[in-house]
Amino acid sequence: MSLTGDLSPDEFRAAAHSAVDWIADYLEHSERYPVRSAVAPGAIRAQLPASPPQQGEPLAAMLHDVEHTLLPGITHWNHPAFFAYFANSASYPGILGELLTAGLNANGMLWITSPAVTELEAVTLDWLRQLMALGDGWFGQITDTASMSTFYALAAARERAGFDVRTKGMAARPELPRLRVYCSEHAHSSIDKAVIALGLGLENLVKIPADDQFRMRAALLEDAIAADVAAGYHPLAVVPCVGTTSTTSIDPVTVVVRIARRYGCWVHVDAAYGGVAAIVPELQYILDGVDAADSFVVNPHKWLFTPMDCSVLYTRDAAALKRAFALLPEYLVTQTQGDAVNLMDYGIQLGRRFRALKLWMVLRAFGQDGLAERIRFHCELAREFAGMVHFEGGWELTAPVTLSLVCFRLAPSGATEQQLATLNAAIMERVNARGHVYLSHTKLGDRYTLRLAIGNIRTDRQHVELAWRELREAAAAITQGE
Amino acid sequence: MSLTGDLSPDEFRAAAHSAVDWIADYLEHSERYPVRSAVAPGAIRAQLPASPPQQGEPLAAMLHDVEHTLLPGITHWNHPAFFAYFANSASYPGILGELLTAGLNANGMLWITSPAVTELEAVTLDWLRQLMALGDGWFGQITDTASMSTFYALAAARERAGFDVRTKGMAARPELPRLRVYCSEHAHSSIDKAVIALGLGLENLVKIPADDQFRMRAALLEDAIAADVAAGYHPLAVVPCVGTTSTTSIDPVTVVVRIARRYGCWVHVDAAYGGVAAIVPELQYILDGVDAADSFVVNPHKWLFTPMDCSVLYTRDAAALKRAFALLPEYLVTQTQGDAVNLMDYGIQLGRRFRALKLWMVLRAFGQDGLAERIRFHCELAREFAGMVHFEGGWELTAPVTLSLVCFRLAPSGATEQQLATLNAAIMERVNARGHVYLSHTKLGDRYTLRLAIGNIRTDRQHVELAWRELREAAAAITQGE
């Protein structure tokens, strides 16, 4: 039967070939565009029709609108001078993987609904584990974001604690103690969100002070847990971080694990950004202690050149995760259930994209050497940038450079913290508004700090040098009152 | 700097053009493949190297492996005779959208990190709302799956209930009553998972019996809530369903809302599969009452020809969702925060793919008329298939055909339910193993039932006729003892 607006395969071929060429040009020349979109709030929306079309429109018209209407509203994460937040950049093999995933559109909710989805995920995540030089015995699964990975890890911890929250819930149970989670004051907000969602309550997320290098102070962790136990609380989990968001500091995982073990806590390591650096042989130490943890998260869509989204949760105790979430309604019963892993059993989501494909293609396209070389190069660029800052009068580094992030600021002598915050915010906004470079900021205690985060597949030395030029020019213009 | 394994733009172009041609051929000829993968557990994994490559490999080698190694492990959701579960099929404009999303790789965590991501999402979801003939005042956001949409809705309900679970949690609070959630006995397992995750406990999910057409019995809902209130429980939310998984029955939303309002319950409507049918003017009635609810979920990646994943959560009370989840660490503070929606505030995930693009392209490519015509055609095919079953001796329909799903079975007179279950499971397995057609089953009470779910963009009358032929042949072979 022929239906209104049927698209011909030829129309698809033509449009998709055009899109491929457009993307290839875009990626070769993303420097044409301002890194940070310059549009005002509402400007993109105002250009789009308020109502959907009655009849279908040709694909070519949409490609035109993507380029002319939407593109000005894109902040270019693929731009080699994108230094804000943490990078996520799309490498060629990753894009190719996404294209194939969309075409196949397999849904790996059950093993049988596409065995290759489940099995390639297992193989690829085992490869990634080996690349990071971790021991075996880890169960890996892909989630969309680190926030979900951490949420699942803490759900497994809650289940393993033995209070049967799954069945009985947490309210109106006089026998149930407060369940407490510990992380450093520099931990990511995703831990707060997980604690909210799981019904643990933000009051029960204990933030342990960090040392002068922004690492969790393990002695204070032990004090906090001991005090909580004495007060009748139940210590549920500790979440040390390998590569914090503000400074990429690395919590002392080995010591944290040792303390946590004494109290029966689950240890979940947040290595969302930093974990993949262990692919570089001389950086393997950053995951010291992780093999003794219960779970950890690493995000290939950050520093492993895999398009959004792709986070990986590894757990030692997949059974706990499965006990937390597995349910088998009749309409999902299949004959093979005894023989194969059904990934829907390990989380909330039922539907599952074939995300492993893009990651597998990235790992194959670069190989261990290629990945290590890129990550090493990014760390080298960060050290070079830090050197430039360090030796320039009036500027200072505000945190150690552990990986590929540099924290720094202009700090003329005699200025108050409030003045420095205003000054550096103005420098950042001036640089970002020019559009050649994009960076972001954080606060370390009361110290307003700029962040230059390197990790884009296309970033080269010249882009880091450009950032430094732009920063000094902006600083000069502002301090000279322009 | 030149790094090991650098890919040239030309290599990408060549591989991506090959992939486009391959996908176009695949979609035109997906009938070449068995619908359900025929591999044994572990067979795909066994063909893949146990360790990652040391050096990079060419993209062309990967395309070869996708076709020759992985494809046998794919269950073809794009096959026009895929009738299992609920369809999710990838239309041409949807695939094109995914390709562009991968190329741009924008992350819409904040408005400023790509204004077009946030604004196109708002526009597209408003279009979708209009297509379903709902009133305005709904706040839409894209999530990955209906399970997450429902989880978020119930998190918002928990927040709005006023017990400050966000801060205080649920344990060790003598003043906190048990919070109860209500759904029909035919509700999807995602509601169970949300109740587990939120710490409410499965004991507090009350499953209301359904009538003989598998619809929630509203009078029993009212009884259950009243009894709970009398027992000191707090009725938190009711989740009626428009299009249940087993039979696509439609709960009486209007009445449910009226009851829920009396008790201050949040009403979340699970219209994950069925909701989009309201795009067909004569089917708008299926969403009767939804405009008075607090939230609802609909999945474009099911029956709206949008590649995985794309679920949409609409809420009337976005402020409750934001109160539940919003957190603003310093490293995410931006100057525009006052003016623009930052979608990270409405859930757990921080990173956000540009998922709206594919949905926008699907809505534009088909237009309202094209979408309505396809959905209407699927419903027509379902009625035709039901007619064939109804008029064939020995077969019976086991549920009303409300949309595009048919529940049916072979039911020779005198057979016990156990015998019928064995017989129909054998028929299904024989059909599925042949690979021309793929369907799934459910249980309605103790009645084992086959399901033929129509919703694939490529399904035509001949595929439904093929399914019927295959089923009768399998039945004949089995009953004749072959």
Side-chain angles (χ1 to χ4, degrees):
Chain A
M1 163 157 177
S2 176
L3 297 171
T4 307
D6 246 340
L7 300 173
S8 76
D10 288 345
E11 189 188 353
F12 169 69
R13 270 178 215 267
H17 285 305
S18 293
V20 164
D21 285 328
W22 187 85
I23 289 169
D25 284 341
Y26 164 74
L27 293 174
E28 275 192 272
H29 304 290
S30 55
E31 291 168 79
R32 288 175 188 160
Y33 306 97
V35 195
R36 188 183 75 175
S37 170
V39 302
I44 300 295
R45 183 166 194 164
Q47 293 175 70
L48 298 167
S51 296
Q54 194 70 34
Q55 262 97 43
E57 301 177 43
L59 294 179
M62 292 170 223
L63 293 180
H64 180 271
D65 291 348
V66 167
E67 178 156 12
H68 297 277
T69 306
L70 298 182
L71 207 62
I74 295 293
T75 291
H76 298 280
W77 291 72
N78 285 318
H79 193 297
F82 184 106
F83 296 115
Y85 311 107
F86 283 126
N88 53 76
S89 56
S91 62
Y92 293 135
I95 296 169
L96 199 60
E98 281 284 29
L99 172 58
L100 292 165
T101 288
L104 292 171
N105 202 36
N107 179 347
M109 60 187 197
L110 297 165
W111 175 84
I112 189 59
T113 63
S114 271
V117 172
T118 299
E119 298 193 16
L120 190 70
E121 191 160 320
V123 169
T124 305
L125 300 190
D126 198 55
W127 285 12
L128 179 60
R129 171 194 68 75
Q130 294 173 54
L131 288 169
M132 295 184 293
L134 289 168
D136 56 14
W138 289 101
F139 175 85
Q141 68 184 99
I142 297 180
T143 72
D144 56 352
T145 60
S147 301
M148 282 306 292
S149 295
T150 292
F151 169 72
Y152 284 157
L154 294 180
R158 193 183 65 180
E159 175 62 26
R160 197 173 69 180
F163 300 107
D164 201 9
V165 171
R166 172 187 164 111
T167 305
K168 295 179 180 166
M170 300 174 72
R173 297 184 60 191
E175 80 285 12
L176 186 68
R178 282 177 192 250
L179 307 176
R180 302 211 110 176
V181 176
Y182 308 83
C183 63
S184 117
E185 59 177 315
H186 282 279
H188 190 260
S189 56
S190 57
I191 302 165
D192 303 66
K193 287 201 176 187
V195 163
I196 291 172
L198 291 165
L200 302 173
L202 284 175
E203 283 179 358
N204 296 308
L205 176 59
V206 182
K207 303 228 169 152
I208 307 296
D211 65 15
D212 60 2
Q213 293 188 48
F214 313 103
R215 300 170 301 198
M216 185 194 289
R217 292 175 62 186
L220 298 184
L221 170 69
E222 178 140 36
D223 293 348
I225 296 178
D228 279 353
V229 169
Y233 300 156
H234 180 92
L236 188 69
V238 186
V239 187
C241 185
V242 172
T244 56
T245 307
S246 282
T247 72
T248 69
S249 59
I250 297 171
D251 289 332
V253 176
T254 302
V255 184
V256 165
V257 168
R258 200 178 308 138
I259 295 166
R261 285 287 165 263
R262 283 206 284 277
Y263 295 92
C265 288
W266 184 288
V267 178
H268 172 65
V269 180
D270 178 359
Y273 153 74
V276 298
I279 295 174
V280 183
E282 65 270 26
L283 292 175
Q284 281 175 13
Y285 75 89
I286 66 164
L287 294 185
D288 279 356
V290 170
D291 262 326
D294 297 286
S295 59
F296 75 101
V297 54
V298 62
N299 276 13
H301 74 213
K302 284 198 173 72
W303 199 7
L304 211 59
F305 322 124
T306 305
M308 289 275 301
D309 41 23
C310 185
S311 174
V312 179
L313 172 64
Y314 288 97
T315 84
R316 283 269 184 222
D317 191 355
L321 199 53
K322 191 172 176 180
R323 282 201 310 277
F325 285 115
L327 285 165
L328 192 60
E330 182 66 28
Y331 47 77
L332 296 174
V333 171
T334 61
Q335 291 195 332
T336 50
Q337 65 186 86
D339 310 303
V341 166
N342 289 317
L343 285 166
M344 68 160 194
D345 289 340
Y346 299 87
I348 290 181
Q349 285 94 344
L350 177 56
R352 172 169 288 265
R353 290 184 82 221
F354 194 5
R355 290 195 188 93
L357 189 58
K358 59 185 170 185
L359 178 56
W360 180 66
M361 293 180 70
V362 168
L363 300 186
R364 288 187 67 182
F366 294 108
Q368 172 142 23
D369 291 350
L371 294 170
E373 197 169 0
R374 276 161 184 79
I375 292 169
R376 184 185 289 120
F377 179 54
H378 291 159
C379 295
E380 188 183 316
L381 291 179
R383 286 192 303 272
E384 288 177 14
F385 183 82
M388 295 187 264
V389 170
H390 180 69
F391 291 108
E392 183 84 9
W395 293 78
E396 67 176 11
L397 296 170
T398 49
V401 178
T402 53
L403 295 168
S404 67
L405 170 74
V406 184
C407 291
F408 66 101
R409 62 179 183 175
L410 182 62
S413 58
T416 64
E417 281 302 330
Q418 180 55 50
Q419 288 167 330
L420 291 180
T422 304
L423 172 63
N424 282 278
I427 292 170
M428 178 175 78
E429 182 49 32
R430 188 172 180 115
V431 168
N432 288 347
R434 274 170 59 88
H436 304 150
V437 160
Y438 184 30
L439 70 165
S440 61
H441 80 287
T442 191
K443 273 190 181 162
L444 300 172
D446 63 346
R447 294 194 298 164
Y448 188 99
T449 288
L450 302 180
R451 290 170 79 262
L452 189 91
I454 299 169
N456 185 307
I457 184 84
R458 292 172 196 87
T459 297
D460 208 338
R461 185 164 281 112
Q462 73 203 66
H463 306 107
V464 175
E465 290 167 352
L466 171 65
W468 184 223
R469 239 181 0 256
E470 293 268 322
L471 283 158
R472 282 177 301 159
E473 284 173 17
I478 287 167
T479 52
Q480 289 156 24
E482 282 174 23
Chain B
M1 163 160 178
S2 176
L3 297 171
T4 306
D6 246 339
L7 300 173
S8 75
D10 287 345
E11 189 189 353
F12 170 69
R13 270 178 215 267
H17 284 305
S18 293
V20 164
D21 285 329
W22 186 86
I23 290 169
D25 284 343
Y26 164 74
L27 293 174
E28 274 192 273
H29 304 291
S30 55
E31 291 167 80
R32 288 175 188 160
Y33 305 98
V35 194
R36 188 184 74 176
S37 169
V39 302
I44 300 295
R45 182 165 193 165
Q47 293 175 69
L48 298 167
S51 295
Q54 193 71 36
Q55 262 97 46
E57 301 176 41
L59 294 179
M62 291 171 223
L63 293 181
H64 180 272
D65 291 349
V66 168
E67 177 156 12
H68 297 279
T69 306
L70 298 182
L71 208 63
I74 294 294
T75 291
H76 297 280
W77 290 73
N78 285 318
H79 192 298
F82 185 106
F83 297 116
Y85 311 107
F86 284 125
N88 52 78
S89 56
S91 62
Y92 293 133
I95 297 169
L96 199 60
E98 282 284 28
L99 172 59
L100 292 165
T101 288
L104 292 171
N105 202 36
N107 179 347
M109 60 187 197
L110 297 165
W111 175 85
I112 190 60
T113 63
S114 271
V117 172
T118 299
E119 297 192 17
L120 191 70
E121 191 161 320
V123 168
T124 304
L125 300 189
D126 198 55
W127 285 13
L128 180 60
R129 172 194 68 75
Q130 294 173 53
L131 288 169
M132 295 184 292
L134 289 168
D136 56 14
W138 289 100
F139 175 83
Q141 64 181 336
I142 297 180
T143 73
D144 56 353
T145 61
S147 301
M148 283 307 292
S149 296
T150 291
F151 169 73
Y152 284 158
L154 293 180
R158 193 183 66 178
E159 176 61 25
R160 198 173 68 181
F163 300 107
D164 201 8
V165 171
R166 173 187 164 111
T167 306
K168 295 180 180 166
M170 299 174 72
R173 296 184 61 192
E175 80 286 10
L176 185 68
R178 282 178 191 249
L179 307 176
R180 302 212 109 178
V181 176
Y182 308 83
C183 64
S184 116
E185 58 177 317
H186 282 279
H188 189 259
S189 55
S190 57
I191 302 163
D192 302 68
K193 287 200 176 187
V195 163
I196 291 171
L198 291 164
L200 302 174
L202 284 175
E203 284 180 358
N204 295 308
L205 175 59
V206 182
K207 303 229 170 151
I208 306 296
D211 66 15
D212 59 2
Q213 293 188 47
F214 313 103
R215 300 170 300 198
M216 185 195 288
R217 292 175 62 187
L220 297 185
L221 169 68
E222 178 139 38
D223 293 349
I225 297 178
D228 279 354
V229 169
Y233 300 155
H234 180 92
L236 187 70
V238 187
V239 187
C241 185
V242 172
T244 56
T245 307
S246 282
T247 73
T248 69
S249 59
I250 297 171
D251 289 333
V253 176
T254 302
V255 184
V256 166
V257 168
R258 201 178 307 138
I259 294 166
R261 285 287 165 266
R262 284 205 283 278
Y263 295 93
C265 288
W266 184 289
V267 179
H268 172 65
V269 181
D270 177 0
Y273 153 75
V276 298
I279 295 174
V280 183
E282 64 270 26
L283 292 175
Q284 281 176 12
Y285 74 91
I286 66 165
L287 293 185
D288 280 355
V290 170
D291 261 326
D294 298 286
S295 59
F296 75 102
V297 54
V298 62
N299 276 14
H301 75 212
K302 284 198 173 75
W303 199 7
L304 210 61
F305 322 125
T306 305
M308 289 276 299
D309 40 22
C310 185
S311 174
V312 180
L313 172 63
Y314 288 97
T315 84
R316 284 268 184 224
D317 191 355
L321 199 53
K322 191 171 176 181
R323 281 200 311 277
F325 286 115
L327 285 166
L328 193 60
E330 183 65 28
Y331 48 76
L332 295 174
V333 171
T334 61
Q335 291 195 332
T336 50
Q337 64 186 89
D339 309 304
V341 166
N342 289 317
L343 285 166
M344 67 159 194
D345 288 339
Y346 299 86
I348 290 180
Q349 286 94 343
L350 176 57
R352 171 168 291 265
R353 290 184 82 220
F354 194 5
R355 290 196 188 93
L357 188 58
K358 59 185 171 186
L359 178 57
W360 179 66
M361 292 181 70
V362 168
L363 300 186
R364 288 186 65 181
F366 294 108
Q368 173 142 22
D369 291 350
L371 294 169
E373 196 168 1
R374 276 160 185 78
I375 292 169
R376 184 186 289 122
F377 178 54
H378 291 159
C379 295
E380 188 183 314
L381 291 178
R383 285 192 303 272
E384 289 177 13
F385 183 82
M388 295 187 263
V389 170
H390 180 68
F391 290 109
E392 183 84 8
W395 294 78
E396 68 176 11
L397 296 171
T398 49
V401 177
T402 52
L403 294 168
S404 67
L405 170 73
V406 184
C407 291
F408 66 101
R409 62 179 182 175
L410 182 62
S413 58
T416 64
E417 281 302 330
Q418 180 55 49
Q419 289 167 331
L420 292 180
T422 305
L423 173 63
N424 281 279
I427 292 171
M428 179 176 77
E429 182 49 31
R430 187 172 182 116
V431 167
N432 288 348
R434 275 170 59 89
H436 303 150
V437 160
Y438 184 29
L439 69 166
S440 62
H441 79 287
T442 192
K443 272 190 182 162
L444 301 172
D446 62 348
R447 294 193 298 162
Y448 188 99
T449 286
L450 303 179
R451 291 169 78 263
L452 189 92
I454 300 168
N456 185 308
I457 184 85
R458 290 170 198 88
T459 297
D460 208 338
R461 185 164 281 113
Q462 73 203 65
H463 306 106
V464 175
E465 290 168 352
L466 171 66
W468 184 224
R469 241 183 356 260
E470 293 267 324
L471 282 158
R472 281 178 301 158
E473 285 173 17
I478 287 167
T479 53
Q480 288 155 27
E482 284 175 22

